[in-house]
Amino acid sequence: MSDKGARSKTAEEILDIAEMLIQTRGYNAFSFQDISDRLGIRKASIHYHFASKTVLGVAVVERYSDGFTQALPAVEAEEGKTAMDMFDCYTGPYREFADTPDRVCLCGALAGEILALPVEMRERVEAFFKMHLAWLTRIVTRGVKREEFKIVMTAEQMARTMFSALQGALLDKRTTGDATQMNDVIGVLKSQLRG
């Protein structure tokens, strides 16, 4: 497999398709043949870059998670932003997914089949969830300290409520096709934050 930091264009295209397939079908519902058909390459070419489906799955989750690992601290570091501004930045990807016909958060999709995933992928999905909960907890704590938020629970409980509600709204939207509920969920969460 090629080095994570220096992937070829083909490897990135494989990751793009695998990510989309996981988000729309699930990890266990796609194969290397699906990627091969979409890219017009042989399965052996996929194996050249990713020795197994597990290796591919781990690479997809790591790449997806790395995007947030870089973006969330950058948002948090902006001292001039209010905690609500930070929450608005956080909900951007959820709104984008809600506007697509069938995509959800990659790790949210994987959580639905967590018991059937390879251990290496489970660990990374769990780390993704923990990272988001920790970030949301820090933002809620900041909002409370700055008297921007007035919550009736602990910051950690509020963070769990926020994360679960946003992830759940994506799954519900996929089922019902109603994208407006994401706005409703975000509106309710903001009301809870404001007290």
Side-chain angles (χ1 to χ4, degrees):
M1 182 176 115
S2 56
D3 179 65
K4 188 166 97 169
R7 287 192 177 112
S8 69
K9 180 177 181 252
T10 301
E12 288 296 332
E13 289 173 340
I14 292 167
L15 288 169
D16 289 343
I17 292 170
E19 181 177 318
M20 183 271 302
L21 290 170
I22 292 169
Q23 288 175 306
T24 57
R25 294 185 189 178
Y27 176 76
N28 289 304
F30 86 91
S31 67
F32 275 21
Q33 186 64 53
D34 294 311
I35 297 171
S36 171
D37 292 344
R38 287 178 188 256
L39 272 182
I41 61 175
R42 296 176 331 180
K43 286 192 289 185
S45 298
I46 300 169
H47 283 284
Y48 170 78
H49 295 284
F50 304 98
S52 68
K53 189 174 177 184
T54 298
V55 171
L56 174 60
V58 166
V60 170
V61 175
E62 286 179 347
R63 185 180 74 157
Y64 185 81
S65 186
D66 286 350
F68 287 97
T69 302
Q70 294 168 15
L72 294 179
V75 170
E76 190 177 356
E78 294 183 44
E79 286 298 322
K81 280 189 185 277
T82 67
M84 191 63 81
D85 290 339
M86 293 177 185
F87 179 62
D88 284 336
C89 288
Y90 182 77
T91 61
Y94 287 95
R95 290 180 190 272
E96 289 173 23
F97 286 137
D99 288 338
T100 67
D102 55 4
R103 288 180 96 166
V104 295
C105 168
L106 177 83
C107 289
L110 290 169
E113 52 185 335
I114 197 77
L115 297 179
L117 294 178
V119 172
E120 302 91 332
M121 288 184 69
R122 286 186 210 177
E123 291 169 350
R124 283 159 179 86
V125 171
E126 181 182 355
F128 177 89
F129 275 54
K130 286 180 176 177
M131 184 249 303
H132 281 253
L133 289 169
W135 187 86
L136 285 167
T137 300
R138 288 194 305 274
I139 297 313
V140 172
T141 300
R142 176 187 290 195
V144 170
K145 284 182 181 173
R146 293 181 176 184
E147 298 182 353
E148 298 169 30
F149 295 161
K150 296 178 177 97
I151 57 173
V152 296
M153 57 187 82
T154 68
E156 187 177 63
Q157 289 170 329
M158 188 67 211
R160 279 193 221 133
T161 300
M162 294 158 73
F163 187 71
S164 298
L166 292 166
Q167 290 286 338
L170 283 180
L171 294 175
D172 202 314
K173 183 268 170 187
R174 175 189 263 179
T175 304
T176 65
D178 181 5
T180 63
Q181 62 189 335
M182 180 58 73
N183 290 331
D184 292 342
V185 165
I186 291 170
V188 168
L189 291 172
K190 285 183 168 189
S191 294
Q192 288 180 329
L193 289 167
R194 291 185 184 112

